[in-house]
Amino acid sequence: MSKVYKHMIPLEQQLPKNPERRSKLIDLEEAGKIIASQKTVSIAGSHSMDGAMALIRSAIRNGAKDMTLIPPTTTSIAADLWIGAKALKKLYLSYVGFEFLGFAPNFRDAAQKGDTSLEIVEADEPFIQLGTQAAAGGRPFNVVQHLYEATVHPQLNKELKTVVDPFTGRTVYAIPALKSDVAIIHAQAADIYGNAQCWGGNRQEPDKCKAASMVIVQADKIVSTEEIAKDASKTTVPGPWVDYVVHAPFAAHPTFSSGAYAVDEQHLRLYLEMCKEGKIKEYLDKYVYGPKDHWEYLELVGGMKRLTELQTMLAIN
Amino acid sequence: MAAQQVHPGTDRYSMAELFVIAMARVMSGEEEKRGGGGANAVMPLAASRLAQVTVAPNLWLSTGGAGSMNGKFNRLPLGTWDPTCDIGAECKNYMMDVVDTFLKGRMPGGRMSAGDGMGSAGGIQIDKFGNTNMIGIGPHPHLKLRGPGTVGTIWTACAPQGLFVEHHNKRLLVDKVDYISAPGWLDGGDTRYKLLDNRPGPVFCWTPICVCDFTEDTHRMRLVSVHPGYTVKDVVDNTGFELVIEGDVPQTTEPTDWELHALRTLVDRGGRLKNRRLTVGM
């Protein structure tokens, strides 16, 4: 027998050098560098909720540029900030806006000024969700009918194609698989092995993870695996999918973290105001490039007092 | 002739215990991987749990379609559906996750194949190229023997899984399966690579009396070791195809006291493996 067959070697002779499970915790800046080195990034959360903001700031700070963003079906600052920082080359658009606070300033600027450096793919909820779902299962595309036959999307979005339904002969629309290099996910709690709990939201995160080559989770709180194991069904991102975990309290700030703290409306208003006054560079300098780490960012946006207020708002709202 | 039961093995260990221990040994290593099994794959489940608590600290213990992952049981479940699997589980693998991750071939992290470890498939027939049949025997649809259906055995198409059988006889180990419902190395050589986009096929085939793998070029099943108490002739006489046999085939290393202690205290406190019915012959 020339080949080494491990089934012939007793277990006690194969004990690992390190018998501990390997932690997936890394530093926020390290995560930012990893994200910045990728080409296509996808994010979950929705509206101004559960944004992977600490990771996004870190990626921008670490030089992310020419990225393609596959956002959630609705998003605000989690897309607008990338655009303001000139980090995006291509955006799959479903909804980028601040809802009751108005339009997304940097997105609008880039789009309306005919800024050719940003390609906008005229996507929508089904396009993003079904494209992601196709990629999640390594399928080449997903199929829909009774939608784009009636709209302008096929003229504007060349990634939409038609295909013949082999069962009925009817022409239907094919949405391509939307794979990403890295999915960055906000979770309220995670253990160091990657089991992550997203307490709210609309479950865009599992498909985004499955459709990605790499998954990085930012967690408001690190909890023990015993805590996770109290209810395995609460783990919305299973550990085996996850490459890295970053611990960053209030990591979704200024967006809402489901069940943990409220949206920082004041901060969003400040962001919008500064952007409208053409001061996006000042905003970035102060809140993205300026702080030496996440702790300094948290101090800058109001520290313990403001952050505690945001937590309390959820309880008394 | 009634099938000869191979349990309880020797005074020291049962053949099921040897089976599980040998399987656990190949899962050693600190890298992240997926182990476990689905449905009635209790043997791979036991082996994966044993590997996890001894030689593979970063193994994810999956129960396939049953869902729970990294259950921390020390009594062997009856099957992966048994809620014993849920004790201490850390996350769930929902059915769509099983489908997606197998179709993709790799877990999202890309670190491990969806079928890494000995997550395993069996069949009512397995042939010399590791193709398996869960459809049945005889002309379809009025089969002479109707199999239960092919469940998730087709996932062998997506990732290199282990094959295992708890019975070793000529009816099961056949030259050519009546139907390929789960692909092994198809017609051998590179036929699988051509049809399935270079996705590798089965690595081992575990039986109650021996361990086989597949040759590097023809991908035919090769006998690599024979369990204590049995001979190469026993294996050949009870196999329905010609196994590749290269030189002297060694005896499978017997379970050590250390291994038996680990298995009986950390995985199988109830002693289910002592009485599990494995058979050889028809």
Side-chain angles (χ1 to χ4, degrees), chain B residues 6-65:
Chain B
V6 295
H7 78 81
T10 71
D11 290 345
R12 214 162 59 78
Y13 57 87
S14 76
M15 293 311 267
E17 288 177 320
L18 166 63
F19 188 121
V20 162
I21 286 168
M23 202 186 237
R25 290 169 181 163
V26 305
M27 288 185 245
S28 67
E30 291 176 37
E31 71 281 6
E32 213 172 349
K33 66 190 79 175
R34 179 184 179 279
N40 193 31
V42 169
M43 305 288 270
L45 188 69
S48 303
R49 177 78 178 127
L50 178 61
Q52 186 187 47
V53 294
T54 55
V55 293
N58 295 303
L59 182 147
W60 289 95
L61 186 68
S62 155
T63 53

Short mmCIF file of all heavy atoms in Angstrom, two decimals, chain B residues 6-65:
data_model
loop_
_atom_site.label_atom_id
_atom_site.label_comp_id
_atom_site.label_asym_id
_atom_site.label_seq_id
_atom_site.Cartn_x
_atom_site.Cartn_y
_atom_site.Cartn_z
N VAL B 6 -22.92 -10.37 11.14
CA VAL B 6 -21.53 -10.18 11.53
C VAL B 6 -21.36 -9.54 12.90
O VAL B 6 -20.27 -9.48 13.42
CB VAL B 6 -20.70 -9.40 10.49
CG1 VAL B 6 -20.61 -10.20 9.22
CG2 VAL B 6 -21.27 -8.04 10.26
N HIS B 7 -22.44 -9.03 13.49
CA HIS B 7 -22.26 -8.58 14.86
C HIS B 7 -22.28 -9.84 15.73
O HIS B 7 -22.85 -10.83 15.31
CB HIS B 7 -23.36 -7.60 15.27
CG HIS B 7 -24.67 -8.23 15.62
ND1 HIS B 7 -24.94 -8.79 16.84
CD2 HIS B 7 -25.77 -8.42 14.86
CE1 HIS B 7 -26.17 -9.30 16.82
NE2 HIS B 7 -26.69 -9.08 15.63
N PRO B 8 -21.77 -9.91 16.89
CA PRO B 8 -21.17 -8.77 17.58
C PRO B 8 -19.67 -8.64 17.35
O PRO B 8 -19.02 -7.90 18.08
CB PRO B 8 -21.45 -9.11 19.05
CG PRO B 8 -21.40 -10.60 19.10
CD PRO B 8 -21.86 -11.10 17.77
N GLY B 9 -19.12 -9.26 16.34
CA GLY B 9 -17.68 -9.10 16.10
C GLY B 9 -16.88 -9.91 17.09
O GLY B 9 -17.09 -11.12 17.22
N THR B 10 -16.00 -9.24 17.80
CA THR B 10 -15.17 -9.97 18.75
C THR B 10 -15.71 -9.72 20.16
O THR B 10 -16.67 -8.98 20.34
CB THR B 10 -13.72 -9.48 18.68
OG1 THR B 10 -13.68 -8.17 19.24
CG2 THR B 10 -13.22 -9.44 17.25
N ASP B 11 -15.06 -10.30 21.15
CA ASP B 11 -15.44 -10.04 22.54
C ASP B 11 -15.23 -8.58 22.90
O ASP B 11 -15.89 -8.03 23.77
CB ASP B 11 -14.58 -10.90 23.50
CG ASP B 11 -14.96 -12.36 23.38
OD1 ASP B 11 -16.04 -12.64 22.80
OD2 ASP B 11 -14.19 -13.22 23.85
N ARG B 12 -14.27 -7.98 22.21
CA ARG B 12 -13.86 -6.62 22.59
C ARG B 12 -14.70 -5.53 21.91
O ARG B 12 -14.92 -4.46 22.46
CB ARG B 12 -12.39 -6.44 22.23
CG ARG B 12 -11.60 -5.56 23.19
CD ARG B 12 -10.10 -5.77 23.05
NE ARG B 12 -9.62 -5.49 21.71
CZ ARG B 12 -9.42 -4.27 21.21
NH1 ARG B 12 -9.66 -3.22 21.95
NH2 ARG B 12 -8.98 -4.11 19.99
N TYR B 13 -15.13 -5.78 20.70
CA TYR B 13 -15.87 -4.75 19.97
C TYR B 13 -16.81 -5.39 18.96
O TYR B 13 -16.58 -6.52 18.51
CB TYR B 13 -14.91 -3.80 19.23
CG TYR B 13 -13.98 -4.48 18.26
CD1 TYR B 13 -14.36 -4.72 16.95
CD2 TYR B 13 -12.71 -4.92 18.67
CE1 TYR B 13 -13.53 -5.37 16.05
CE2 TYR B 13 -11.87 -5.57 17.79
CZ TYR B 13 -12.28 -5.80 16.48
OH TYR B 13 -11.46 -6.44 15.60
N SER B 14 -17.86 -4.67 18.60
CA SER B 14 -18.76 -5.17 17.56
C SER B 14 -18.26 -4.69 16.19
O SER B 14 -17.50 -3.73 16.10
CB SER B 14 -20.18 -4.66 17.79
OG SER B 14 -20.28 -3.31 17.41
N MET B 15 -18.72 -5.33 15.14
CA MET B 15 -18.29 -4.91 13.80
C MET B 15 -18.83 -3.52 13.48
O MET B 15 -18.20 -2.76 12.74
CB MET B 15 -18.75 -5.93 12.75
CG MET B 15 -18.05 -7.28 12.89
SD MET B 15 -16.24 -7.18 13.03
CE MET B 15 -15.76 -7.34 11.31
N ALA B 16 -19.98 -3.17 14.04
CA ALA B 16 -20.50 -1.81 13.81
C ALA B 16 -19.58 -0.78 14.47
O ALA B 16 -19.37 0.31 13.95
CB ALA B 16 -21.92 -1.68 14.36
N GLU B 17 -19.04 -1.13 15.63
CA GLU B 17 -18.11 -0.20 16.29
C GLU B 17 -16.84 -0.03 15.47
O GLU B 17 -16.33 1.09 15.30
CB GLU B 17 -17.79 -0.71 17.70
CG GLU B 17 -18.96 -0.55 18.67
CD GLU B 17 -18.67 -1.10 20.06
OE1 GLU B 17 -18.04 -2.19 20.16
OE2 GLU B 17 -19.08 -0.46 21.04
N LEU B 18 -16.33 -1.14 14.94
CA LEU B 18 -15.14 -1.06 14.08
C LEU B 18 -15.43 -0.19 12.85
O LEU B 18 -14.64 0.68 12.48
CB LEU B 18 -14.73 -2.48 13.64
CG LEU B 18 -13.73 -2.56 12.48
CD1 LEU B 18 -12.40 -1.93 12.86
CD2 LEU B 18 -13.51 -4.01 12.06
N PHE B 19 -16.58 -0.42 12.25
CA PHE B 19 -17.03 0.32 11.05
C PHE B 19 -16.97 1.83 11.33
O PHE B 19 -16.37 2.61 10.59
CB PHE B 19 -18.46 -0.13 10.75
CG PHE B 19 -19.08 0.35 9.46
CD1 PHE B 19 -19.52 -0.56 8.50
CD2 PHE B 19 -19.29 1.70 9.22
CE1 PHE B 19 -20.13 -0.14 7.32
CE2 PHE B 19 -19.90 2.13 8.05
CZ PHE B 19 -20.31 1.21 7.11
N VAL B 20 -17.59 2.22 12.45
CA VAL B 20 -17.70 3.64 12.80
C VAL B 20 -16.33 4.23 13.12
O VAL B 20 -15.99 5.35 12.69
CB VAL B 20 -18.68 3.79 13.99
CG1 VAL B 20 -18.52 5.13 14.68
CG2 VAL B 20 -20.11 3.60 13.48
N ILE B 21 -15.52 3.47 13.84
CA ILE B 21 -14.20 3.99 14.23
C ILE B 21 -13.31 4.18 13.00
O ILE B 21 -12.65 5.21 12.83
CB ILE B 21 -13.55 3.06 15.28
CG1 ILE B 21 -14.26 3.27 16.62
CG2 ILE B 21 -12.05 3.32 15.40
CD1 ILE B 21 -13.93 2.23 17.68
N ALA B 22 -13.33 3.20 12.09
CA ALA B 22 -12.50 3.31 10.87
C ALA B 22 -12.94 4.53 10.05
O ALA B 22 -12.12 5.28 9.53
CB ALA B 22 -12.62 2.04 10.04
N MET B 23 -14.25 4.74 9.98
CA MET B 23 -14.78 5.87 9.22
C MET B 23 -14.39 7.20 9.87
O MET B 23 -14.04 8.16 9.19
CB MET B 23 -16.30 5.74 9.14
CG MET B 23 -16.96 6.48 8.01
SD MET B 23 -18.75 6.37 8.19
CE MET B 23 -19.21 5.65 6.64
N ALA B 24 -14.43 7.22 11.21
CA ALA B 24 -14.07 8.47 11.92
C ALA B 24 -12.61 8.85 11.66
O ALA B 24 -12.27 10.03 11.56
CB ALA B 24 -14.30 8.29 13.43
N ARG B 25 -11.76 7.83 11.53
CA ARG B 25 -10.32 8.11 11.36
C ARG B 25 -10.03 8.96 10.13
O ARG B 25 -9.11 9.78 10.13
CB ARG B 25 -9.55 6.79 11.26
CG ARG B 25 -9.49 5.99 12.56
CD ARG B 25 -8.95 4.60 12.29
NE ARG B 25 -8.89 3.78 13.50
CZ ARG B 25 -8.77 2.45 13.46
NH1 ARG B 25 -8.70 1.80 12.30
NH2 ARG B 25 -8.71 1.77 14.58
N VAL B 26 -10.78 8.77 9.04
CA VAL B 26 -10.47 9.53 7.82
C VAL B 26 -10.92 10.98 7.90
O VAL B 26 -10.60 11.78 7.04
CB VAL B 26 -11.06 8.89 6.54
CG1 VAL B 26 -10.64 7.44 6.40
CG2 VAL B 26 -12.58 9.01 6.50
N MET B 27 -11.68 11.31 8.94
CA MET B 27 -12.19 12.68 9.04
C MET B 27 -11.28 13.57 9.87
O MET B 27 -11.63 14.72 10.17
CB MET B 27 -13.59 12.67 9.65
CG MET B 27 -14.62 12.13 8.69
SD MET B 27 -16.26 12.26 9.40
CE MET B 27 -16.66 10.54 9.54
N SER B 28 -10.09 13.08 10.24
CA SER B 28 -9.21 13.86 11.10
C SER B 28 -8.72 15.12 10.39
O SER B 28 -8.69 15.18 9.16
CB SER B 28 -8.01 13.01 11.51
OG SER B 28 -7.21 12.74 10.37
N GLY B 29 -8.35 16.10 11.20
CA GLY B 29 -7.80 17.34 10.64
C GLY B 29 -8.49 18.55 11.20
O GLY B 29 -9.67 18.50 11.55
N GLU B 30 -7.73 19.65 11.29
CA GLU B 30 -8.27 20.85 11.93
C GLU B 30 -9.08 21.73 10.98
O GLU B 30 -9.70 22.69 11.39
CB GLU B 30 -7.13 21.67 12.53
CG GLU B 30 -6.50 20.98 13.73
CD GLU B 30 -5.30 21.73 14.28
OE1 GLU B 30 -5.33 22.96 14.29
OE2 GLU B 30 -4.33 21.05 14.69
N GLU B 31 -9.05 21.42 9.67
CA GLU B 31 -9.77 22.27 8.73
C GLU B 31 -11.28 22.12 8.95
O GLU B 31 -11.75 21.13 9.46
CB GLU B 31 -9.38 21.94 7.28
CG GLU B 31 -9.87 20.60 6.74
CD GLU B 31 -9.07 19.39 7.20
OE1 GLU B 31 -8.17 19.54 8.04
OE2 GLU B 31 -9.38 18.27 6.74
N GLU B 32 -12.01 23.17 8.49
CA GLU B 32 -13.46 23.13 8.63
C GLU B 32 -14.01 22.16 7.59
O GLU B 32 -13.58 22.15 6.44
CB GLU B 32 -14.00 24.53 8.34
CG GLU B 32 -15.21 24.87 9.13
CD GLU B 32 -15.58 26.33 8.97
OE1 GLU B 32 -14.80 27.11 8.42
OE2 GLU B 32 -16.69 26.67 9.40
N LYS B 33 -14.93 21.32 7.98
CA LYS B 33 -15.51 20.37 7.04
C LYS B 33 -16.91 20.02 7.51
O LYS B 33 -17.33 20.38 8.59
CB LYS B 33 -14.64 19.12 6.95
CG LYS B 33 -14.60 18.30 8.24
CD LYS B 33 -13.55 17.22 8.18
CE LYS B 33 -12.18 17.81 8.43
NZ LYS B 33 -11.13 16.82 8.52
N ARG B 34 -17.60 19.31 6.64
CA ARG B 34 -18.97 18.93 6.95
C ARG B 34 -19.00 17.42 7.10
O ARG B 34 -18.46 16.70 6.27
CB ARG B 34 -19.88 19.37 5.80
CG ARG B 34 -21.33 19.03 5.95
CD ARG B 34 -22.03 19.49 4.67
NE ARG B 34 -23.45 19.19 4.66
CZ ARG B 34 -23.96 18.00 4.37
NH1 ARG B 34 -23.17 16.99 4.10
NH2 ARG B 34 -25.27 17.82 4.37
N GLY B 35 -19.62 16.95 8.18
CA GLY B 35 -19.78 15.52 8.37
C GLY B 35 -21.22 15.20 8.65
O GLY B 35 -22.08 16.08 8.59
N GLY B 36 -21.48 13.96 8.97
CA GLY B 36 -22.85 13.58 9.32
C GLY B 36 -23.47 12.71 8.26
O GLY B 36 -22.78 12.05 7.49
N GLY B 37 -24.77 12.75 8.24
CA GLY B 37 -25.47 11.91 7.26
C GLY B 37 -26.94 12.23 7.33
O GLY B 37 -27.39 12.93 8.24
N GLY B 38 -27.70 11.74 6.36
CA GLY B 38 -29.12 12.00 6.38
C GLY B 38 -29.89 10.72 6.65
O GLY B 38 -29.31 9.64 6.75
N ALA B 39 -31.20 10.87 6.79
CA ALA B 39 -32.13 9.74 6.93
C ALA B 39 -31.61 8.67 7.90
O ALA B 39 -31.39 8.94 9.06
CB ALA B 39 -32.43 9.15 5.57
N ASN B 40 -31.37 7.48 7.38
CA ASN B 40 -30.98 6.37 8.25
C ASN B 40 -29.47 6.21 8.35
O ASN B 40 -28.97 5.16 8.74
CB ASN B 40 -31.62 5.08 7.69
CG ASN B 40 -31.52 3.94 8.69
OD1 ASN B 40 -31.55 4.17 9.90
ND2 ASN B 40 -31.38 2.72 8.20
N ALA B 41 -28.73 7.25 7.98
CA ALA B 41 -27.27 7.12 7.97
C ALA B 41 -26.70 7.31 9.37
O ALA B 41 -25.93 8.22 9.64
CB ALA B 41 -26.67 8.12 6.99
N VAL B 42 -27.08 6.40 10.26
CA VAL B 42 -26.62 6.49 11.65
C VAL B 42 -25.13 6.20 11.77
O VAL B 42 -24.44 6.80 12.59
CB VAL B 42 -27.44 5.52 12.54
CG1 VAL B 42 -26.82 5.39 13.91
CG2 VAL B 42 -28.87 6.02 12.66
N MET B 43 -24.64 5.31 10.93
CA MET B 43 -23.21 4.96 11.02
C MET B 43 -22.32 6.16 10.70
O MET B 43 -21.45 6.51 11.49
CB MET B 43 -22.90 3.78 10.10
CG MET B 43 -23.77 2.57 10.34
SD MET B 43 -23.36 1.71 11.86
CE MET B 43 -22.15 0.59 11.20
N PRO B 44 -22.54 6.84 9.56
CA PRO B 44 -21.75 8.05 9.31
C PRO B 44 -21.98 9.14 10.35
O PRO B 44 -21.07 9.88 10.69
CB PRO B 44 -22.23 8.53 7.94
CG PRO B 44 -22.89 7.37 7.32
CD PRO B 44 -23.40 6.50 8.42
N LEU B 45 -23.21 9.22 10.87
CA LEU B 45 -23.50 10.21 11.90
C LEU B 45 -22.65 9.94 13.15
O LEU B 45 -22.03 10.83 13.72
CB LEU B 45 -24.99 10.18 12.25
CG LEU B 45 -25.49 11.29 13.16
CD1 LEU B 45 -25.45 12.64 12.44
CD2 LEU B 45 -26.91 11.00 13.64
N ALA B 46 -22.62 8.67 13.54
CA ALA B 46 -21.82 8.27 14.71
C ALA B 46 -20.34 8.53 14.45
O ALA B 46 -19.61 9.06 15.31
CB ALA B 46 -22.05 6.79 15.03
N ALA B 47 -19.88 8.19 13.26
CA ALA B 47 -18.46 8.38 12.92
C ALA B 47 -18.10 9.86 12.93
O ALA B 47 -17.05 10.25 13.45
CB ALA B 47 -18.18 7.78 11.54
N SER B 48 -19.00 10.68 12.40
CA SER B 48 -18.72 12.11 12.34
C SER B 48 -18.70 12.73 13.74
O SER B 48 -17.87 13.58 14.03
CB SER B 48 -19.79 12.82 11.50
OG SER B 48 -19.84 12.27 10.20
N ARG B 49 -19.63 12.27 14.57
CA ARG B 49 -19.65 12.79 15.95
C ARG B 49 -18.38 12.36 16.70
O ARG B 49 -17.78 13.15 17.42
CB ARG B 49 -20.90 12.27 16.67
CG ARG B 49 -21.02 12.67 18.13
CD ARG B 49 -21.50 14.11 18.30
NE ARG B 49 -21.65 14.46 19.71
CZ ARG B 49 -21.07 15.53 20.28
NH1 ARG B 49 -20.33 16.36 19.58
NH2 ARG B 49 -21.26 15.79 21.56
N LEU B 50 -17.97 11.12 16.46
CA LEU B 50 -16.74 10.64 17.11
C LEU B 50 -15.53 11.44 16.62
O LEU B 50 -14.68 11.84 17.43
CB LEU B 50 -16.54 9.14 16.81
CG LEU B 50 -15.28 8.50 17.38
CD1 LEU B 50 -15.25 8.60 18.91
CD2 LEU B 50 -15.17 7.03 16.94
N ALA B 51 -15.47 11.69 15.32
CA ALA B 51 -14.35 12.48 14.78
C ALA B 51 -14.37 13.89 15.37
O ALA B 51 -13.35 14.43 15.77
CB ALA B 51 -14.46 12.55 13.25
N GLN B 52 -15.58 14.46 15.47
CA GLN B 52 -15.71 15.84 15.96
C GLN B 52 -15.17 15.99 17.38
O GLN B 52 -14.51 16.97 17.70
CB GLN B 52 -17.18 16.25 15.89
CG GLN B 52 -17.45 17.70 16.22
CD GLN B 52 -18.95 17.96 16.31
OE1 GLN B 52 -19.69 17.21 16.94
NE2 GLN B 52 -19.39 19.02 15.65
N VAL B 53 -15.46 15.02 18.23
CA VAL B 53 -15.04 15.14 19.64
C VAL B 53 -13.62 14.64 19.86
O VAL B 53 -13.11 14.71 20.98
CB VAL B 53 -16.01 14.43 20.60
CG1 VAL B 53 -17.37 15.12 20.60
CG2 VAL B 53 -16.15 12.95 20.27
N THR B 54 -12.96 14.13 18.83
CA THR B 54 -11.59 13.65 19.02
C THR B 54 -10.60 14.33 18.06
O THR B 54 -9.71 15.06 18.49
CB THR B 54 -11.51 12.13 18.83
OG1 THR B 54 -12.03 11.78 17.55
CG2 THR B 54 -12.27 11.39 19.92
N VAL B 55 -10.77 14.11 16.77
CA VAL B 55 -9.73 14.49 15.80
C VAL B 55 -10.11 15.62 14.84
O VAL B 55 -9.28 16.05 14.04
CB VAL B 55 -9.30 13.27 14.96
CG1 VAL B 55 -8.58 12.25 15.83
CG2 VAL B 55 -10.49 12.64 14.24
N ALA B 56 -11.36 16.07 14.89
CA ALA B 56 -11.80 17.07 13.91
C ALA B 56 -12.62 18.16 14.59
O ALA B 56 -13.83 18.25 14.43
CB ALA B 56 -12.62 16.40 12.80
N PRO B 57 -11.94 19.05 15.36
CA PRO B 57 -12.69 20.02 16.17
C PRO B 57 -13.53 21.00 15.36
O PRO B 57 -14.46 21.58 15.90
CB PRO B 57 -11.57 20.76 16.94
CG PRO B 57 -10.32 20.50 16.17
CD PRO B 57 -10.48 19.17 15.53
N ASN B 58 -13.21 21.17 14.09
CA ASN B 58 -13.96 22.14 13.28
C ASN B 58 -14.92 21.47 12.31
O ASN B 58 -15.34 22.08 11.32
CB ASN B 58 -13.00 23.07 12.56
CG ASN B 58 -12.22 23.92 13.54
OD1 ASN B 58 -12.81 24.64 14.35
ND2 ASN B 58 -10.91 23.78 13.55
N LEU B 59 -15.27 20.24 12.59
CA LEU B 59 -16.25 19.54 11.75
C LEU B 59 -17.66 20.00 12.11
O LEU B 59 -18.00 20.12 13.29
CB LEU B 59 -16.11 18.03 11.97
CG LEU B 59 -17.02 17.09 11.16
CD1 LEU B 59 -16.26 15.79 10.86
CD2 LEU B 59 -18.30 16.75 11.89
N TRP B 60 -18.45 20.29 11.09
CA TRP B 60 -19.88 20.62 11.29
C TRP B 60 -20.68 19.35 11.13
O TRP B 60 -20.64 18.72 10.07
CB TRP B 60 -20.33 21.67 10.29
CG TRP B 60 -19.75 23.02 10.56
CD1 TRP B 60 -18.63 23.55 10.00
CD2 TRP B 60 -20.25 24.00 11.48
NE1 TRP B 60 -18.41 24.82 10.51
CE2 TRP B 60 -19.38 25.11 11.41
CE3 TRP B 60 -21.35 24.06 12.35
CZ2 TRP B 60 -19.57 26.27 12.18
CZ3 TRP B 60 -21.54 25.21 13.11
CH2 TRP B 60 -20.65 26.29 13.02
N LEU B 61 -21.38 18.99 12.17
CA LEU B 61 -22.13 17.74 12.17
C LEU B 61 -23.53 17.99 11.63
O LEU B 61 -24.36 18.59 12.28
CB LEU B 61 -22.19 17.18 13.59
CG LEU B 61 -22.82 15.80 13.74
CD1 LEU B 61 -21.94 14.74 13.11
CD2 LEU B 61 -23.02 15.49 15.22
N SER B 62 -23.76 17.49 10.44
CA SER B 62 -25.04 17.74 9.76
C SER B 62 -25.93 16.52 9.86
O SER B 62 -25.46 15.39 9.88
CB SER B 62 -24.74 18.08 8.30
OG SER B 62 -25.86 17.77 7.48
N THR B 63 -27.23 16.77 9.91
CA THR B 63 -28.17 15.64 9.86
C THR B 63 -28.94 15.70 8.54
O THR B 63 -30.08 15.25 8.47
CB THR B 63 -29.15 15.67 11.04
OG1 THR B 63 -29.78 16.97 11.07
CG2 THR B 63 -28.46 15.42 12.35
N GLY B 64 -28.29 16.25 7.52
CA GLY B 64 -28.91 16.30 6.19
C GLY B 64 -30.24 17.02 6.22
O GLY B 64 -30.38 18.07 6.86
N GLY B 65 -31.21 16.44 5.56
CA GLY B 65 -32.52 17.08 5.46
C GLY B 65 -33.25 17.21 6.78
O GLY B 65 -34.21 17.97 6.89
#
